[in-house]
Amino acid sequence: MKISFCCTGTEPTPWLAGLRAALPQAQVELWQPGAAPADYAVVWAPPQQFFDQQPLLKGVFAIGAGVDALLRLRLPPQATVVRLDDAGMAVQMAEYVCHAVIRHFRELDVYAADISHGQWTFHKPRHRADFPVGVMGLGVLGQRVAQALTQFEFPVNGWSRSPKVMPGVRGFNGRAQLDAFLASSRILVNLLPLTFDTQGILNRDTLSRLQPSGYVINVARGAHLVDDDLLALLDSGHLAGATLDVFRTEPLPLKHPFWQHPKITITPHTSARTLRETSIAQIAGKLEALERGETVVGRVDLERGY
């Protein structure tokens, strides 16, 4: 069995060593143009040339939770595409989102600004009941985030394509219930997969439906957000602020208005990073399951895009 590793922007040496240790029966090689056909591939942002030269792949494993960039390429029709369903990312995402929610709710950014100016101030405590949090996307990461938020006793709403039942989370599903979900939320967390249907879903219309002084947290993909619409709603006062970890262009261009906007907090796509050892163990287990003809978790529906 031959495995080809093609992960753009990733140091290959530790990945190759880890995959060889986890799959000693396999031949694991770093892909080079013109390489012999492989049975399986481990990829991140591969060029189209890779798939053009690998027509016999039985499976493609992406070292991340999102596969939107991968699905824009022409893939071998017989290949099963598999994404990581957690690999240590879910707890990181829960940490990040809970921090952003609590920082806004407790006005810790306001206190930090006051302290930086030598001001010892006090702000009246706010009530959690007045800050319902809506989580868009209830996959593995979204469910972990929603569950974590309930532990802080925030009212939590969840919206997904199909119905999901979670303790302590008020469920909404489908386009028919999107407006009601937004109207029930003051803080909006986006964890949707990026598909044709979800591009630009965070726009003037949807964000205007949030409760007044709403807050937006985008940790999914930059293309979900219409940048100018967010800026307009912040400047009008309908939105109180935003925390953004993903952007249409990364790194974020230095002249982009997000850098200097007083109501926006940005981070460099660091909300949940792939953990190599955990990912390798998961890939090895799923690859061996596919070899045995078993169904694996994380198999991508190419029609849905996730």
Side-chain angles (χ1 to χ4, degrees):
M1 176 172 59
K2 183 175 181 180
I3 301 171
S4 185
F5 182 85
C6 182
C7 294
T8 303
T10 301
E11 168 55 45
T13 303
W15 281 90
L16 294 171
L19 288 166
R20 287 165 181 159
L23 297 162
Q25 75 280 19
Q27 178 185 354
V28 184
E29 300 293 344
L30 177 66
W31 178 76
Q32 300 289 348
D39 302 295
Y40 294 95
V42 177
V43 304
W44 183 254
Q48 180 61 55
Q49 182 186 14
F50 173 77
F51 290 113
D52 291 343
Q53 296 183 1
Q54 295 292 327
L56 303 180
L57 291 173
K58 295 188 287 185
V60 177
F61 293 84
I63 62 168
V67 294
D68 46 284
L70 182 61
L71 297 185
R72 289 196 289 268
L73 302 176
R74 296 185 306 277
L75 307 177
Q78 77 285 350
T80 297
V81 179
V82 184
R83 58 173 172 74
L84 298 180
D85 47 275
D86 186 339
M89 290 182 284
V91 66
Q92 295 178 67
M93 190 64 79
E95 291 170 343
Y96 183 98
V97 171
C98 287
H99 176 272
V101 169
I102 293 168
R103 181 174 179 268
H104 173 62
F105 169 67
R106 292 290 303 271
E107 298 184 277
L108 298 180
D109 52 343
V110 179
Y111 281 112
D114 290 346
I115 293 298
S116 69
H117 292 96
Q119 298 175 358
W120 187 271
T121 56
F122 174 77
H123 299 269
K124 182 179 179 180
R126 305 199 284 192
H127 301 288
R128 284 174 177 76
D130 296 331
F131 286 81
V133 184
V135 179
M136 299 182 78
L138 295 177
V140 173
L141 303 186
Q143 289 188 40
R144 185 63 177 270
V145 166
Q147 290 169 349
L149 289 166
T150 64
Q151 298 303 304
F152 291 99
E153 300 182 11
F154 287 100
V156 179
N157 305 313
W159 183 78
S160 53
R161 176 171 176 164
S162 56
K164 298 283 181 68
V165 178
M166 297 179 57
V169 178
R170 183 183 177 191
F172 299 81
N173 66 274
R175 284 282 177 174
Q177 295 185 3
L178 178 58
D179 288 353
F181 162 78
L182 294 168
S184 300
S185 305
R186 184 168 177 179
I187 299 175
L188 181 66
V189 181
N190 178 42
L191 276 158
L192 290 170
L194 182 62
T195 67
F196 177 81
D197 291 333
T198 64
Q199 288 194 48
I201 195 170
L202 304 180
N203 54 51
R204 185 185 297 268
D205 178 61
T206 54
L207 298 180
S208 294
R209 297 178 188 275
L210 293 173
Q211 295 179 6
S213 298
Y215 195 87
V216 177
I217 301 170
N218 189 20
V219 286
R221 288 289 185 267
H224 284 124
L225 176 66
V226 179
D227 295 1
D228 289 343
D229 289 0
L230 173 67
L231 291 167
L233 290 170
L234 288 170
D235 293 341
S236 73
H238 181 72
L239 294 179
T243 292
L244 307 175
D245 185 54
V246 290
F247 308 92
R248 288 178 176 268
T249 301
E250 296 182 1
L252 183 66
L254 290 177
K255 293 185 179 181
H256 197 288
F258 286 171
W259 280 101
Q260 302 298 328
H261 200 288
K263 295 182 179 180
I264 296 178
T265 298
I266 63 173
T267 51
H269 203 147
T270 191
S271 55
R273 304 295 296 271
T274 299
L275 302 181
R276 185 174 60 250
E277 292 81 4
T278 306
S279 300
I280 288 171
Q282 187 179 131
I283 289 169
K286 291 184 177 186
L287 190 152
E288 290 174 331
L290 282 181
E291 278 288 279
R292 295 190 298 267
E294 299 172 3
T295 301
V296 297
V297 176
R299 182 169 180 165
V300 175
D301 184 326
L302 300 183
E303 293 297 323
R304 290 188 175 185
Y306 60 91

